[in-house]
Amino acid sequence: SQTLAPDGLDQNHPRPPVVIKILSMMRFVETALLACCGLLVAHAHRVATSQTVRLTRRSLGLDMLTKQHKLAYFGEISVGTPPQTFSVVYDTGSGNLIVPSTHCTSEACVKHARFSRDNSTTTETITCQGGSVPWGAPGGAITINFGTGHVTGDCLHDMICMGGLCAAGGFVASTEESSQPFASFRFDGVLGLALSTMAQSLEFSIMDRLTGHQLLKQPFFSVFLSEQDD
């Protein structure tokens, strides 16, 4: 009978030392590149099946407090069935997905793509702790304050896709956004990638949802640096 090692290899035919060294170096590089932005890679069950999402780098102008230029890295996601596409900042400092809603008439919303719950067959209203809401009852609403602005929105549940990975989860569909700074942004919303403790609940953490649906082995991501903006 054939004996398999924990990684699925035949113990009678182990990896040669060169391959082991290469794989160890790959893991070291992945760990070392967790800190900044370029290409975000969410690791699935094996490195060979990692999911890559291309991000675009743009300057947000000069931060008057720090006197430093602020950069944002954003890419596409989709929400709903059929999918509605949004450009979002991949943000490591927050934990929720926030996109504008068609119920929002603020300047910051109408200048961007807006999510229509009426055009999705899988949208559900939930509480902002991720709980279900009886049919016909109002769902949860929340206001989230940022350093230079705020967003008020409804808590919804729908299919969320990042690259080729899709999972049902909670998100905030904004019904009001402050003009500063959101009206000036090129992107539509924010995809929070911080620890699940910074999300409204585990239901709102995209990395936790992908892990819970066994699309990712662990809620880890890496970032590959690039000298180019795209």
Side-chain angles (χ1 to χ4, degrees):
S1 62
Q2 187 182 43
T3 302
L4 296 181
D7 58 4
L9 294 178
D10 187 346
Q11 289 183 339
N12 296 321
H13 298 84
R15 290 190 179 102
V18 173
V19 175
I20 294 175
K21 183 176 181 179
I22 291 174
L23 290 177
S24 298
M25 181 60 68
M26 288 173 63
R27 294 191 178 103
F28 171 80
V29 171
E30 290 164 5
T31 302
L33 290 175
L34 283 173
C36 201
C37 306
L39 289 181
L40 180 139
V41 180
H43 294 285
H45 288 270
R46 294 186 182 276
V47 173
T49 58
S50 295
Q51 180 65 44
T52 300
V53 179
R54 183 172 295 277
L55 305 182
T56 299
R57 180 177 61 190
R58 289 290 183 270
S59 172
L60 299 182
L62 182 67
D63 188 318
M64 300 307 296
L65 293 178
T66 64
K67 303 301 181 182
Q68 295 179 343
H69 284 277
K70 298 175 65 176
L71 295 175
Y73 296 81
F74 53 93
E76 288 190 347
I77 63 160
S78 65
V79 183
T81 308
Q84 302 175 41
T85 303
F86 300 91
S87 175
V88 295
V89 168
Y90 280 64
D91 180 27
T92 58
S94 64
N96 303 299
L97 169 62
I98 304 173
V99 294
S101 163
T102 52
H103 292 185
C104 178
T105 58
S106 302
E107 177 191 8
C109 291
V110 298
K111 293 179 65 174
H112 297 101
R114 294 183 291 171
F115 176 76
S116 173
R117 67 184 74 182
D118 296 332
N119 291 337
S120 176
T121 60
T122 49
T123 302
E124 298 178 11
T125 300
I126 59 174
T127 70
C128 292
Q129 288 72 45
S132 59
V133 174
W135 187 88
I142 188 173
T143 295
I144 299 176
N145 293 304
F146 295 87
T148 55
H150 68 273
V151 170
T152 298
D154 297 329
C155 295
L156 303 177
H157 184 275
D158 211 329
M159 188 63 63
I160 302 170
C161 296
M162 181 178 66
L165 304 178
C166 299
F171 67 102
V172 177
S174 58
T175 55
E176 193 269 328
E177 294 184 1
S178 60
S179 295
Q180 293 296 327
F182 301 106
S184 62
F185 289 162
R186 297 188 184 184
F187 47 85
D188 305 314
V190 178
L191 176 63
L193 295 172
L195 296 175
S196 56
T197 53
M198 295 192 67
Q200 287 300 117
S201 71
L202 294 180
E203 191 70 26
F204 286 79
S205 169
I206 183 63
M207 297 301 289
D208 186 82
R209 301 310 299 162
L210 293 173
T211 306
H213 285 74
Q214 299 184 336
L215 297 171
L216 298 179
K217 187 175 182 180
Q218 296 183 30
F220 295 159
F221 63 87
S222 303
V223 184
F224 288 79
L225 305 178
S226 172
E227 294 182 354
Q228 301 185 11
D229 290 339
D230 297 313

